[in-house]
Amino acid sequence: MVASSPYQCMTLALLMLPPLLLTTYFMAAFPSPPAPISVHPSLASLPSTSKSWSIYPEDFYTGGGYAVFPTGKVRYWLLGPEKGKKIVLIHGLSIPAIIWKDVAPKLVASGHRVLLYDLYGRGYSDAPQTAYDTNLYTTQLAFLMQYLKWQKANIIGVSMGGAIAAAFTAQFPHLVDESVGLIACAGLMESNDISRTAKVMSSPLIQILASSRPVQMYMQRLTNQSVSQDEKPLLEIVRLQSAHLPGYNHALSSSLRDGPVRGQRAAFQSKSFEGKRVLILHGTRDSTVHPKYADKISALLPSAAKQKLIMLEGAGHDLSVSHPEQVTAELLDLLDGRSWKKLP
């Protein structure tokens, strides 16, 4: 066996040196500090001449204010007597707190203290450039209750807001009072329930295209055109947000892909519901969240939860707008609780 020459040893060392140095560098390199979250503006950034101010102005409800959190400003409104029973109303995927316009005043008239707020990316709350998953929404409400010094509240949500209410109950049971209201509740939707159009529109590639300047300008020109008097104001608010708010479309698409619209089975099964009154209110002709999910949610809730499952015959998805009287009546019964004492 021939011994290696000094030349060969030097050659081998030189060959091994670069990968050794490179490995040492990557092992010793320390990551850069994370960049701050980019926050997109809300409807408050639009000029006073925008149609949004005539449909859904910043002072649509009285008692409004802003809370500033690490992920952006949150617009909220406090209605009703300070000593009234506390209620939180959570809106759904696309329409901000205006969705409660026919329900909240009736709850206030019955002596309740009502908190409404816009979810991140909607209405007058900022839109952080982040994943719109369940934790973003539940911590938003937890921060807001802490900011307002609310120790407990009854939690009511519609559509995706119902899924947020369920997840919030599971994660922060100490902040939830006696009652939880799940109206046209999402949370268990499967991929097949989401239309092909919604899936395509929520894809990252389409979102990049939709956020481009030419597309945004085209959408803004369409929304700035005059509309007929029979135009539904809630639909118009959706269009205005989509055209003028850079973070709105991302908030919707991320909520469909990452958020509480799906995957909340464990939340509904949580023991945090034990001992609470849970109202499940759903329309028999709901084409957005299939009526079958009302039964599925009911079956998942712990047996120690007192629950009522009420199906509104012939009703669609937006129950707080189409059937405000029935919704209010059932919510007042839920909050009162006297008729629930007979339940097992």
Side-chain angles (χ1 to χ4, degrees), residues 294-317:
D295 290 319
K296 291 187 176 185
I297 291 171
S298 176
L300 289 174
L301 290 172
S303 57
K306 295 183 177 181
Q307 61 164 293
K308 280 186 181 180
L309 170 57
I310 299 174
M311 304 298 294
L312 292 183
E313 188 62 38
H317 185 63

Side-chain angles (χ1 to χ4, degrees), residues 14-62:
L14 290 173
L15 290 173
M16 293 180 62
L17 187 59
L20 284 173
L21 290 175
L22 196 61
T23 302
T24 303
Y25 170 78
F26 281 115
M27 291 181 65
F30 204 70
S32 301
I37 295 177
S38 175
V39 176
H40 297 293
S42 68
L43 285 177
S45 65
L46 300 187
S48 58
T49 54
S50 171
K51 287 189 294 184
S52 62
W53 288 93
S54 62
I55 300 172
Y56 182 47
E58 194 176 30
D59 58 353
F60 186 82
Y61 301 105
T62 59

